């Protein structure tokens, strides 16, 4: 349990109604303790054989994270803030916890496990318990572009006497990008396929593993298909002429809807069955961390 906090450290809770509440040493909701923000708990799957000492570990997974925040209401407006605290942490709402400390910012999604218990002392103390189904802290998305056009038109302008015209831009010749994941675990992806003309069956593939996400369809110019592989929020959506269409059924049978990038280097290639020159691809991933 952490019981000492600096002036730059803040726990800012955002709910799904667009409201926020800060708990820190400078807030009316004074931060005294936070349990569970630093460490993760591993769960082992063991097999014990007859007449064998100990057990054999066959696998493991990280358990959901429990965070318990304790604090104190300052005497000024304590009754108003008591009601504000209780109403804000409604168990029916969804929350994102934002941790900040100077230049470091991390997020984690959570739900209220036990709504605030607030004493009625002169300096009222409170305690709130949260459950984080995905136990990893994360930061803002990172973006990598594989297929794109590069601007080539600049001043001072020189026109070739040979009559070859003016090059306004050129297509990036490389169809492979190295997505470097500098976090603590494999991270899910958000993949965006953009068609600037007709494209047949566009896909991306992780070079080392062969894992793939492929659209079994022909995209028209202007179409954008976004595929999200975040656990619990998997989707494929087509944006066409300002309308969003569920495109999940157009993923190929061998697509990995939980495709992720491992820690370190990940070579990812894009291609299409036809008209690959009309395809632009952007890859987004969210780095994840053990603690803050």
């Amino acid at each position: 349990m952490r019981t000492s906090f600096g002036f730059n450290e803040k726990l800012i809770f955002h709910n799904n109604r667009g409201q926020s509440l800060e708990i820190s040493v400078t807030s009316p909701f004074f931060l005294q303790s936070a349990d569970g923000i630093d460490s993760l708990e591993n769960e082992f799957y063991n097999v014990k054989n007859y007449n064998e000492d100990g057990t054999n570990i066959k696998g493991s997974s990280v358990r959901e994270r429990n965070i318990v925040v304790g604090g104190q209401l300052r005497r000024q407006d304590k009754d108003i803030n008591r009601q504000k605290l209780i109403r804000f942490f409604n168990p029916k709402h969804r929350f994102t916890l934002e941790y900040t400390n100077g230049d470091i910012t991390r997020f984690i999604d959570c739900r209220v496990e036990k709504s605030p218990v607030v004493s009625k002392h002169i300096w009222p103390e409170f305690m709130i318990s949260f459950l984080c189904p995905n136990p990893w802290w994360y930061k803002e998305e990172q973006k990598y572009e594989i297929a794109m056009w590069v601007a080539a038109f600049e001043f001072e302008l020189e026109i070739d006497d040979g009559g070859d015209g003016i090059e306004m831009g050129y297509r990036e010749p490389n169809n492979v990008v190295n997505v470097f994941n500098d976090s603590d675990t494999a991270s899910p992806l958000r993949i965006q396929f953009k068609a600037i003309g007709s494209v047949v069956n566009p896909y991306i593939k992780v070079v080392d593993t062969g894992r793939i996400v492929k659209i079994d369809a022909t995209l028209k110019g202007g179409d954008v298909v976004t595929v999200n592989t975040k656990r619990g929020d998997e989707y494929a959506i087509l944006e066409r002429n300002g309308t969003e269409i569920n495109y999940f059924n157009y993923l190929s049978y061998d697509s990995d809807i939980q495709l992720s990038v491992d820690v370190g280097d990940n070579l990812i290639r894009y291609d299409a069955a036809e008209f690959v020159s009309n395809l632009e691809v952007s890859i987004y991933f969210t780095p994840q961390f053990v603690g803050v």
Side-chain angles (χ1 to χ4, degrees), residues 78-110:
K78 64 179 182 180
D79 292 331
I80 295 174
N81 286 330
R82 181 177 186 272
Q83 289 301 315
K84 182 177 180 180
L85 190 75
I86 292 172
R87 294 192 67 185
F88 179 81
F89 289 108
N90 186 329
K92 292 292 187 179
H93 297 164
R94 299 185 304 276
F95 294 87
T96 296
L97 168 57
E98 175 185 355
Y99 169 89
T100 63
N101 184 8
D103 295 334
I104 298 174
T105 301
R106 299 286 186 269
F107 302 90
I108 194 167
D109 298 324
C110 58

Side-chain angles (χ1 to χ4, degrees), residues 123-149:
W123 293 83
E125 295 183 337
F126 63 85
M127 184 168 290
I128 319 166
S129 179
F130 300 92
L131 177 68
C132 307
N134 182 351
W136 299 93
W137 291 90
Y138 60 89
K139 66 178 184 179
E140 293 84 357
E141 279 188 326
Q142 308 293 304
K143 180 180 180 181
Y144 287 81
E145 293 179 318
I146 308 179
M148 59 179 296
W149 286 87

Side-chain angles (χ1 to χ4, degrees), residues 43-275:
E43 183 175 7
F44 294 101
Y45 307 106
N46 302 330
V47 174
K48 182 175 178 61
N49 297 318
Y50 173 74
N51 203 30
E52 181 181 57
D53 295 332
T55 60
N56 294 310
I57 297 177
K58 296 300 183 181
S60 66
S61 63
V62 177
R63 300 191 59 163
E64 67 272 18
R65 185 189 295 266
N66 288 96
I67 294 178
V68 180
V69 177
Q72 192 174 63
L73 300 182
R74 301 188 190 275
R75 292 180 64 181
Q76 184 178 7
D77 298 327
K78 64 179 182 180
D79 292 331
I80 295 174
N81 286 330
R82 181 177 186 272
Q83 289 301 315
K84 182 177 180 180
L85 190 75
I86 292 172
R87 294 192 67 185
F88 179 81
F89 289 108
N90 186 329
K92 292 292 187 179
H93 297 164
R94 299 185 304 276
F95 294 87
T96 296
L97 168 57
E98 175 185 355
Y99 169 89
T100 63
N101 184 8
D103 295 334
I104 298 174
T105 301
R106 299 286 186 269
F107 302 90
I108 194 167
D109 298 324
C110 58
R111 299 293 291 265
V112 173
E113 188 174 39
K114 187 174 182 180
S115 58
V117 177
V118 187
S119 71
K120 292 192 175 182
H121 299 148
I122 296 176
W123 293 83
E125 295 183 337
F126 63 85
M127 184 168 290
I128 319 166
S129 179
F130 300 92
L131 177 68
C132 307
N134 182 351
W136 299 93
W137 291 90
Y138 60 89
K139 66 178 184 179
E140 293 84 357
E141 279 188 326
Q142 308 293 304
K143 180 180 180 181
Y144 287 81
E145 293 179 318
I146 308 179
M148 59 179 296
W149 286 87
V150 179
F153 187 64
E154 63 181 38
F155 291 95
E156 298 176 352
L157 177 63
E158 294 184 4
I159 301 177
D160 186 3
D161 291 337
D164 292 332
I166 304 172
E167 184 178 45
M168 305 295 291
Y170 62 92
R171 188 175 180 82
E172 176 65 52
N174 190 13
N175 69 339
V176 177
V177 66
N178 181 26
V179 177
F180 182 72
N181 181 1
D182 61 348
S183 61
D184 298 333
T185 187
S187 300
L189 301 174
R190 188 165 63 89
I191 309 144
Q192 190 175 80
F193 300 94
K194 182 177 180 181
I196 58 176
S198 293
V199 181
V200 180
N201 299 349
Y203 67 88
I204 67 162
K205 178 185 287 188
V206 180
V207 173
D208 292 338
T209 65
R211 297 167 70 190
I212 192 172
V213 169
K214 181 180 179 182
I215 308 299
D216 266 343
T218 298
L219 304 184
K220 302 177 181 179
D223 285 354
V224 178
V225 176
T226 303
V227 180
N228 189 42
T229 68
K230 181 180 179 181
R231 187 187 67 187
D233 191 29
E234 299 93 338
Y235 62 77
I237 294 176
L238 166 68
E239 297 177 51
R240 175 177 288 170
N241 299 326
T243 302
E244 291 189 351
I245 303 169
N246 185 350
Y247 230 51
F248 204 89
N249 290 335
Y250 288 90
L251 292 173
S252 66
Y253 74 92
D254 55 346
S255 287
D256 185 353
I257 193 55
Q258 293 187 334
L259 182 66
S260 59
V261 286
D262 294 328
V263 176
D265 296 313
N266 298 265
L267 293 178
I268 296 180
R269 181 169 65 89
Y270 81 93
D271 208 338
E274 294 182 59
F275 311 122

